Amino acid sequence: MNVLRTENLKKYYGDDDNLVRALDGVDLEVERGEFVAVVGTSGSGKSTLLHMLGGLDRPTEGRVFVDGKDISELKDDALCVFRRRKIGFVFQSYNLVPVLNVYENIVLPIELDGNTVDKNYVRKVIEILGLTDRVHRLPSQLSGGQQQRVAIARALSAKPAILLADEPTGNLDSRTSQDVLGLLKVTGEQFGQTIVMITHNEEIAQMADRVIRIEDGTIKSGAAARKGETAKSGAAARKGGEHHA
């Protein structure tokens, strides 16, 4: 079952001679529990695609479905609420709140939505990401790799339908990048989390279940979900029921 789907997705900027086709008819499916990497050179359209998938920008044409909902039709306020509840983001720059400690940063999206924190679930996420002894520290007291782990924990805390990662290791050295991506993959498998990651790093991309290549706003390879492998990769975490329901 796909949790993320696009239909003829287009994003154009400018007009006439200055028209830029950032996305030019993208059809994509991502299965629940799948870890997908989107690769492409600078200007290929991969970041634009991520923004469309996450509802951070509106398409010129086409539709985006997240967990069965056409987010292209949502008005701004409803889209904001949907993003907070259904989509987790991990950015290159961490985006942690400097005056909040690690635990407060992690549960912030849940509290902003007025929901009760699932303390057992959050504790498990914190343990898997190796942050147990750092929950009371401020972001300034953490290394770059530790801050990115907090950002991943925060993205997972609300049990989103999908997690979108935009160059999540861009500010990290190669060894820390491998560690962080390894943890991202482990948490994805542990919790049956669907992950779409944008990266220019081919080595990191190979850690994903599937690699999608995008050039000039169109997908050149990897668009179709590999359903058999996807089901296998997320089976253990999904046993006993989906936590996204």
Side-chain angles (χ1 to χ4, degrees), residues 66-83:
V66 177
D67 211 20
K69 184 72 173 180
D70 184 357
I71 67 172
S72 314
E73 294 183 342
L74 296 177
K75 294 185 178 180
D76 289 346
D77 289 347
L79 180 59
C80 182
V81 172
F82 186 88
R83 274 201 310 263

Side-chain angles (χ1 to χ4, degrees), residues 24-210:
D24 198 17
V26 170
D27 294 306
L28 172 65
E29 289 187 9
V30 177
E31 296 290 297
R32 192 177 296 279
E34 191 176 13
F35 181 11
V36 174
V38 180
V39 298
T41 58
S42 178
S44 61
K46 60 184 188 297
S47 292
T48 302
L49 176 60
L50 191 84
H51 291 164
M52 297 295 115
L53 298 180
L56 297 174
D57 199 356
R58 300 278 188 177
T60 304
E61 187 178 322
R63 300 195 290 174
V64 178
F65 296 87
V66 177
D67 211 20
K69 184 72 173 180
D70 184 357
I71 67 172
S72 314
E73 294 183 342
L74 296 177
K75 294 185 178 180
D76 289 346
D77 289 347
L79 180 59
C80 182
V81 172
F82 186 88
R83 274 201 310 263
R84 196 163 60 232
R85 294 176 178 174
K86 292 288 188 176
I87 305 172
F89 294 95
V90 179
F91 296 105
Q92 181 176 334
S93 56
Y94 319 137
N95 292 337
L96 302 180
V97 180
V99 296
L100 300 182
N101 66 30
V102 165
Y103 185 82
E104 291 167 338
N105 266 286
I106 290 171
V107 301
L108 182 61
I110 304 171
E111 293 180 338
L112 285 174
D113 209 30
N115 291 328
T116 302
V117 176
D118 184 340
K119 293 182 180 179
N120 289 331
Y121 170 77
V122 171
R123 186 181 302 114
K124 191 171 184 179
V125 171
I126 288 170
E127 288 174 358
I128 290 173
L129 288 168
L131 295 168
T132 303
D133 61 347
R134 296 176 174 86
V135 291
H136 299 298
R137 295 187 184 181
L138 295 173
S140 61
Q141 298 172 308
L142 304 176
S143 68
Q146 290 166 350
Q147 289 187 60
Q148 192 59 295
R149 281 187 270 164
V150 176
I152 293 170
R154 179 183 58 192
L156 290 167
S157 67
K159 304 178 185 177
I162 59 170
L163 189 153
L164 303 178
D166 188 1
E167 298 281 6
T169 61
N171 286 332
L172 306 176
D173 59 56
S174 59
R175 181 174 179 178
T176 306
S177 295
Q178 291 288 340
D179 290 344
V180 167
L181 260 296
L183 287 167
L184 183 62
K185 187 174 178 66
V186 166
T187 53
E189 292 172 349
Q190 182 77 26
F191 300 112
Q193 182 65 61
T194 306
I195 302 170
V196 179
M197 175 182 69
I198 300 296
T199 183
H200 67 278
N201 188 314
E202 293 280 348
E203 185 178 355
I204 284 174
Q206 295 307 313
M207 298 178 71
D209 301 325
R210 174 163 54 115

Side-chain angles (χ1 to χ4, degrees), residues 1-6 27-37 194-196 209-212 219 221-233:
M1 176 182 176
N2 66 64
V3 71
L4 178 63
R5 177 167 58 92
T6 70
D27 294 306
L28 172 65
E29 289 187 9
V30 177
E31 296 290 297
R32 192 177 296 279
E34 191 176 13
F35 181 11
V36 174
T194 306
I195 302 170
V196 179
D209 301 325
R210 174 163 54 115
V211 178
I212 294 172
I219 292 179
S221 64
R226 301 189 303 210
K227 295 178 175 59
E229 295 178 27
T230 303
K232 182 179 177 181
S233 69

